[in-house]
């Protein structure tokens, strides 16, 4: 039997105590697809606190496209995450923060978090931020990041969190795309041995952001931080000046009022602003967090993702807090100060549920088992992964070494666009297979289609993954560009939402995500568009034309290979490589820096001038003998040059 078809049954001891077992999953799933409105209406009533009930559960069509959940309802997300827990959980830890240095920790109870969010909400109001205004958040992984998000939600402002590893330019473009009036940042961030000058980056960005009126600065370090007196405010000072009766009330929001915008990469153009709304999103993350992680009252739950990504939104902040759970916010790196850091954190905070990305697991596999074994880890009962396909070897290591063959693994498939998990095992219900995200969650109706959009039925088949019915957490539009929303997700296969992923459904009906079938790269779990990286490379002024492909990478899963045609009189040397890397880091972020740069004299193009990416992908993957038909190329000779160049060049960084 091959490794990947090994079946791991639900451990008996886990299954007995789990909230959902196989029979209840099957029954609930059946109900959720035969009577979606009945199912979701019941969940919304049981799981959320409403200010006013809805009049209609769902209105939808995938043509225009229109998706509305719980219309007529009034709700506030921050009340659901905070106020409603005060009666029974006021002194329970809402957040356990583990800072950059081991042992630098802070615990924030529900009472304290509620008070802090109310004050911050009042502060935002006093700065003129109103319902519907956009607020940019550019913060490290500190409790204030969650506070800022919740404070926006409390007053109905729409937040857009920008990953604090993004460059000034990337930050500027996001702020300008949605016209933010306020930016919340920190003076510095700390990541392992490095201090990140966040405020400086903000100064650079905001210089070209006409809509920004104020910059609120959290003091994370003692570093000297020049402030622009008319624009910048220290967060702690502004809070201290707030009158005692300042208005931190929770705004009454419509179910479909926007909650946040999160920028993500697509196959074309600039990153798009994925817009999520209030009630449906909240219901989706509440239910999935509860079911997928089998959340119990005394769990200490840790998701190692950054709030700059959707996983941080849904499964560090909103899902856990809505469920009244204790969520760990981790500021540091898995390998700082050494490769035992995660397990040190697990032991010190008695973490019971641990959720991370395959790229982190692969990096730790390489460091050896001793770093894991050094720690006790007996508090752990459940492990999770997200962000990219997990290779069976990494899965088996995670299971045997980290989880001592005792903890189930939930491999959760979803996207920025889906808001929350759509395909995943339920740990008390689903036998797992290493590398498979297994089965759809409640209400999720996946279909596989062939290239022509015809549904492929039955098991033991492969195709492109689509969804034929909406779920409450799905995105509602691309901010400011509804037509792009329609084009990107609903035009390829009319009547269906297209995920961009390839997928196999095996003999048991289990789903295996095989990766993107469009021009989106998934580098160490981060999404990047090839077009985005290519235009950054050209911005160096050294390159006339570039084509970027995903290449196999031991740790990142996918790395970036860049074929570059240099401009006249530019030398094919290390200085040019350096110049290109520098530009990409500045224009996007270090995460977008290519792992290989190949200088070539031309790209393989059809006679009509279209780059044949298929060929470049094959060569990048090292499949030199099987590049396929090159007869339609304008100049077939470029292929042999490209092959020779790639053969001779190692990766820039491991
Ligand atoms: C990939 C991250 C396989 C997939 C939550 C998807 C996965 C893209 C998995 C979305 C998984 C995410 N198995 N592939 N468990 N989870 N992906 O928007 O290609 O950053 O389309 O959302 O990541 O990435 P995004």
């Amino acid at each position: 039997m091959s490794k990947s078809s090994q079946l791991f049954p639900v451990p008996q001891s886990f299954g007995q105590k789990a909230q959902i077992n196989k029979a209840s999953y099957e029954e609930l799933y059946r109900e959720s697809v035969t009577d979606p409105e009945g199912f979701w209406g019941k969940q919304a009533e049981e799981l959320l606190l409403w200010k006013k009930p809805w009049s209609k559960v769902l209105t939808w069509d995938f043509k225009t496209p229109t998706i509305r959940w719980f219309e007529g309802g009034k709700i506030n997300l921050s009340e659901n995450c905070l106020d409603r827990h005060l009666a029974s959980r006021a002194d329970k830890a809402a957040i356990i923060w583990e800072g950059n240095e081991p042992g630098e920790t802070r615990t924030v109870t529900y009472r304290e978090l509620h008070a802090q969010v109310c004050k911050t909400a009042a502060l935002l109001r006093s700065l003129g931020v109103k319902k519907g205004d956009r607020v940019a958040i550019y913060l490290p992984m500190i409790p204030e990041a969650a506070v800022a998000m919740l404070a926006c939600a409390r007053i109905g402002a729409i937040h857009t969190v920008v990953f604090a590893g993004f460059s000034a330019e990337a930050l500027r473009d996001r702020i300008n795309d949605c016209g933010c009036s306020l930016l919340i940042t920190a003076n510095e961030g700390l990541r392992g041995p490095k201090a990140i000058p966040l405020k400086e980056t903000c100064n650079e960005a905001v210089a070209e952001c006409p809509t920004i009126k104020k910059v609120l600065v959290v003091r994370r370090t003692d570093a000297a931080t020049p402030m622009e007196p008319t624009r910048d405010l220290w967060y702690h000072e502004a809070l201290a000046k707030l009158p005692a009766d300042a208005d931190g009330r929770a705004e009454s929001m419509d179910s479909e009022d926007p909650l946040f915008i999160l920028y993500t990469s697509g196959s074309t153009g600039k990153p798009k602003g994925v817009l999520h709304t209030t009630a449906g999103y909240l219901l989706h993350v509440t239910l999935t967090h509860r079911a997928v992680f089998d959340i119990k009252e005394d769990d200490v739950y840790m998701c190692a993702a950054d709030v700059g990504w959707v996983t941080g939104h849904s499964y560090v902040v909103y899902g856990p807090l809505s469920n009244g759970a204790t969520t760990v916010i981790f500021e540091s790196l898995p390998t700082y100060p050494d490769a035992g850091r995660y397990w040190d954190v697990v032991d010190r905070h008695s973490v019971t549920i641990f959720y991370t990305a395959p790229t982190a697991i692969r990096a730790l596999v390489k460091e050896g088992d001793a770093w894991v074994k050094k720690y006790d880890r007996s508090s752990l009962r459940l492990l999770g992964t997200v962000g990219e396909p997990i290779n069976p070897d990494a899965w088996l290591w995670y299971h045997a070494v980290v989880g001592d063959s005792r903890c189930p693994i939930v491999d959760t498939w979803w996207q920025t666009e889906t808001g929350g998990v759509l395909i995943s095992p339920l740990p008390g219900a689903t036998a797992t297979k290493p590398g498979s995200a297994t089965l759809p969650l409640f209400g999720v109706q996946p279909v596989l289609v062939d290239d022509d959009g015809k549904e492929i039925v039955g098991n033991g088949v492969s195709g492109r993954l689509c969804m034929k019915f909406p779920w409450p957490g799905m995105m509602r539009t691309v901010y400011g560009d509804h037509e792009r929303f329609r084009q990107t997700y609903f035009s390829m296969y009319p009547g269906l939402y297209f995920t961009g992923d390839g997928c196999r459904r095996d003999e048991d009906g289990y789903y295996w995500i095989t990766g993107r079938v469009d021009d989106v790269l998934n580098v160490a779990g981060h999404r990047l568009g090839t077009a985005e990286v290519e235009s950054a490379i050209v911005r160096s002024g050294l390159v006339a034309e570039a084509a970027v492909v995903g290449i196999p990478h031991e740790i990142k899963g996918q790395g970036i290979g860049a074929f570059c045609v240099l401009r006249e009189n530019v030398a094919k040397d290390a200085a040019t490589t350096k110049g290109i890397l520098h530009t990409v880091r500045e224009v996007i972020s270090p995460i977008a820096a290519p792992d290989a740069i190949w200088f070539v004299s031309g790209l393989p193009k059809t006679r009509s001038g279209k780059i044949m990416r298929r060929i470049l992908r094959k060569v990048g993957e090292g499949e030199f003998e099987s590049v396929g038909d090159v007869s339609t190329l304008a100049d077939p000779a470029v292929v042999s040059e490209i092959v020779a160049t790639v053969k001779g060049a190692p990766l820039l960084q491991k």
Side-chain angles (χ1 to χ4, degrees):
M1 198 197 282
S2 80
K3 272 186 206 161
S4 56
S5 55
Q6 236 175 301
L7 195 67
F8 288 77
V10 173
Q12 215 178 15
S13 58
F14 194 102
Q16 279 162 356
K17 289 182 238 146
Q19 296 173 40
I20 301 174
N21 62 24
K22 189 160 187 278
S24 51
Y25 161 69
E26 284 170 356
E27 194 187 316
L28 280 166
Y29 182 78
R30 204 171 314 114
E31 187 191 326
S32 74
V33 296
T34 50
D35 177 19
E37 297 200 28
F39 174 84
W40 286 115
K42 203 158 76 193
Q43 296 297 329
E45 217 175 289
E46 276 170 22
L47 295 179
L48 303 184
L49 170 75
W50 294 84
K51 285 175 175 290
K52 184 181 155 227
W54 58 92
S55 45
K56 191 160 185 340
V57 173
L58 173 64
T59 307
W60 74 288
D61 82 75
F62 277 176
K63 221 182 285 147
T64 35
T66 305
I67 301 118
R68 291 199 294 267
W69 285 90
F70 306 109
E71 256 177 307
K74 293 271 187 191
I75 192 163
N76 184 282
L77 181 141
S78 90
E79 275 186 343
N80 273 270
C81 290
L82 302 167
D83 306 53
R84 70 160 157 163
H85 302 311
L86 294 181
S88 59
R89 301 187 175 107
D91 295 315
K92 177 175 176 175
I95 293 172
I96 295 176
W97 177 66
E98 168 82 11
N100 189 48
E101 294 301 325
E104 182 185 13
T105 77
R106 215 164 106 194
T107 298
V108 186
T109 65
Y110 272 96
R111 191 197 316 280
E112 290 162 343
L113 187 61
H114 173 260
Q116 189 73 8
V117 169
C118 289
K119 273 201 254 169
T120 306
L123 173 60
L124 298 189
R125 275 201 180 104
S126 78
L127 294 173
V129 180
K130 297 182 304 296
K131 178 172 168 176
D133 288 353
R134 276 80 58 215
V135 172
I137 299 175
Y138 187 70
L139 283 171
M141 284 294 282
I142 52 179
E144 286 79 1
V147 169
M149 292 163 76
L150 289 159
C152 286
R154 195 158 188 93
I155 66 168
I158 306 166
H159 61 69
T160 184
V161 182
V162 179
F163 173 56
F166 274 125
S167 68
E169 231 178 86
L171 174 62
R172 177 200 68 194
D173 289 351
R174 285 158 173 78
I175 290 174
N176 287 340
D177 187 76
C178 63
C180 300
S181 57
L182 178 75
L183 167 62
I184 308 178
T185 188
N187 63 329
E188 277 193 323
L190 299 172
R191 265 180 97 68
K194 277 195 255 169
I196 319 284
L198 297 179
K199 174 66 166 52
E200 249 174 74
T201 306
C202 287
N203 290 347
E204 205 184 317
V206 169
E208 295 173 37
C209 297
T211 54
I212 290 286
K213 298 198 188 85
K214 295 280 175 209
V215 178
L216 201 52
V217 187
V218 178
R219 191 174 252 310
R220 171 67 187 97
T221 69
D222 294 333
T225 308
M227 301 286 271
E228 156 66 56
T230 57
R231 185 196 68 192
D232 303 343
L233 296 108
W234 284 108
Y235 173 64
H236 61 279
E237 287 181 6
L239 280 185
K241 283 189 203 139
L242 214 59
D245 60 349
D247 180 9
R249 208 174 20 89
E251 195 79 39
S252 180
M253 304 299 288
D254 286 338
S255 293
E256 283 295 340
D257 274 336
L259 172 65
F260 69 83
I261 299 165
L262 185 58
Y263 285 84
T264 193
S265 298
S267 41
T268 55
K270 291 211 163 190
K272 46 184 176 280
V274 168
L275 184 109
H276 284 286
T277 58
T278 307
Y281 170 82
L282 179 63
L283 177 61
H284 191 162
V285 298
T286 306
L287 176 62
T288 52
H289 179 258
R290 183 176 287 226
V292 170
F293 297 105
D294 184 45
I295 288 295
K296 305 229 165 69
E297 195 57 50
D298 53 359
D299 273 316
V300 176
Y301 162 90
M302 170 167 174
C303 167
D306 193 284
V307 288
W309 312 112
V310 74
T311 308
H313 285 61
S314 302
Y315 299 109
V316 174
V317 180
Y318 291 136
L321 296 178
S322 176
N323 283 321
T326 298
T327 185
V328 175
I329 293 189
F330 179 61
E331 185 182 34
S332 197
L333 302 168
T335 49
Y336 181 78
D338 59 48
R341 183 62 186 279
Y342 276 161
W343 325 121
D344 170 36
V345 175
V346 164
D347 277 2
R348 275 191 289 109
H349 300 299
S350 301
V351 172
T352 57
I353 303 169
F354 180 78
Y355 188 32
T356 193
T359 185
I361 299 168
R362 286 191 299 265
L364 296 177
V365 169
K366 230 185 85 202
E367 302 291 332
D369 301 3
W371 286 112
V372 188
K373 301 245 164 89
K374 189 174 158 198
Y375 297 94
D376 176 58
R377 288 163 290 110
S378 60
S379 56
L380 286 174
R381 67 181 190 92
L382 176 61
L383 302 172
T385 111
V386 59
E388 43 172 329
I390 181 164
N391 42 312
D393 284 329
W395 193 104
L396 291 166
W397 182 86
Y398 199 29
H399 185 261
V401 181
V402 175
D404 285 328
S405 304
R406 162 175 51 85
C407 308
I409 296 180
V410 287
D411 174 356
T412 62
W413 175 86
W414 59 295
Q415 312 178 291
T416 306
E417 294 87 339
T418 68
V421 180
L422 295 193
I423 303 180
S424 167
L426 295 184
T430 320
T432 52
K433 300 182 190 185
S436 171
T438 75
L439 299 171
L441 296 184
F442 309 125
V444 175
Q445 301 189 36
V447 285
L448 300 185
V449 298
D450 64 18
D451 292 352
D452 303 322
K454 222 174 102 232
E455 182 171 346
I456 306 170
V457 294
N459 289 341
V461 294
S462 294
R464 294 167 170 223
L465 180 64
C466 295
M467 298 291 155
K468 65 175 171 197
F469 198 85
W471 57 99
M474 85 185 286
M475 72 183 286
R476 301 298 196 260
T477 193
V478 169
Y479 185 79
D481 196 348
H482 198 66
E483 173 55 17
R484 189 167 174 200
F485 178 51
R486 191 192 65 76
Q487 271 280 337
T488 311
Y489 305 100
F490 301 92
S491 66
M492 188 88 98
Y493 307 115
L496 300 175
Y497 164 85
F498 175 46
T499 63
D501 280 332
C503 182
R504 179 161 68 86
R505 187 166 51 219
D506 73 10
E507 297 301 339
D508 298 322
Y510 275 36
Y511 289 82
W512 300 72
I513 308 298
T514 50
R516 303 288 303 197
V517 294
D518 52 9
D519 287 321
V520 171
L521 305 174
N522 191 327
V523 179
H526 303 319
R527 258 172 83 165
L528 293 162
T530 49
E532 214 184 324
V533 181
E534 285 160 6
S535 54
I537 290 174
V538 171
R539 285 271 299 280
S540 66
L542 302 165
V543 176
E545 192 177 23
V548 154
V549 296
I551 57 174
H553 190 288
E554 210 187 325
I555 306 281
K556 299 180 184 176
Q558 202 168 37
I560 300 178
F563 296 90
C564 299
V565 180
L566 297 180
R567 290 171 78 150
E568 218 152 326
N569 300 324
V570 174
K572 296 180 176 179
D573 62 10
T576 303
T577 300
K578 227 172 127 187
I580 294 170
L581 289 174
H582 177 76
T583 310
V584 175
R585 290 193 182 108
E586 289 288 302
V587 173
I588 308 176
S589 159
I591 59 179
D595 300 278
I597 294 179
W598 298 302
F599 302 131
V600 292
S601 55
L603 298 172
K605 290 187 181 172
T606 61
R607 283 183 203 99
S608 60
K610 207 167 154 335
I611 298 174
M612 298 266 287
R613 289 176 181 279
R614 167 178 63 78
I615 294 175
L616 294 175
R617 259 184 237 126
K618 285 273 183 200
V619 178
E621 283 165 9
E623 293 190 25
F624 304 121
E625 311 311 324
S626 56
V627 291
D629 182 18
V630 297
S631 62
T632 56
L633 291 180
D635 176 13
V638 296
V639 176
S640 42
E641 186 214 338
I642 287 172
V643 167
T645 308
V646 171
K647 270 187 179 166
L651 295 190
L652 295 169
Q653 58 212 28
K654 265 285 182 182

